[in-house]
Amino acid sequence: MILRHVTVDCAEPYALATFWSDVTGWPVSDLDEPGDAEVLIEAPSPVPGILFIRVPEGKTAKNRIHFDWMPTERTRDDEVERIVALGATIYEDHRTADGRGWVTLLDPEGNEFCIERGEAERGT
């Protein structure tokens, strides 16, 4: 099998997809528009896309799974700053004095995700 999409339940699919499109640089599908119940951001192959689907209930608990992102063009700290400017909020800061660690953020609908150090910061 091939993982085709990761699906996120949400209240406003187009708005949340637009936020994640800005975060990732991946485009919102040309087939989707504001008001749609399902909106896809298209990842570069072979990475699965992220599909946002409208559901009637709001988020009530911690995510059972979440994204861990590793920057490729910026440092972890620069990436956190950029994503906060796009509308995310810092939820938990796990950065340590030695430069290790990660930051857990919340997207505009409260879904948790993490920003880790990039390869250059890891020395790999």
Side-chain angles (χ1 to χ4, degrees):
M1 290 192 291
I2 295 173
L3 181 59
R4 184 168 177 219
H5 301 131
V6 174
T7 301
V8 177
D9 292 348
C10 61
E12 296 295 334
Y14 196 85
L16 199 55
T18 300
F19 167 82
W20 280 104
S21 176
D22 290 342
V23 169
T24 62
W26 306 342
V28 172
S29 172
D30 291 338
L31 302 175
D32 297 324
E33 56 189 42
D36 284 352
E38 299 178 1
V39 179
L40 176 68
I41 61 170
E42 299 173 333
S45 183
V47 176
I50 305 174
L51 181 63
F52 299 88
I53 296 181
R54 179 176 293 117
V55 296
E57 65 277 356
K59 183 177 181 290
T60 59
K62 185 179 185 316
N63 297 3
R64 294 293 300 263
I65 64 169
H66 67 260
F67 299 118
D68 287 341
W69 296 98
M70 184 176 72
T72 56
E73 298 175 5
R74 286 173 276 283
T75 66
R76 175 201 53 215
D77 296 347
D78 289 344
E79 194 68 28
V80 167
E81 187 175 309
R82 181 184 77 84
I83 295 170
V84 166
L86 292 172
T89 56
I90 294 177
Y91 179 63
E92 296 176 334
D93 193 332
H94 299 278
R95 292 176 279 194
T96 61
D98 65 1
R100 294 182 174 181
W102 67 95
V103 179
T104 304
L105 297 138
L106 301 176
D107 75 11
E109 290 202 14
N111 300 300
E112 299 94 357
F113 63 100
C114 294
I115 305 297
E116 300 178 351
R117 295 180 304 155
E119 286 184 12
E121 293 174 284
R122 294 170 189 261
T124 58

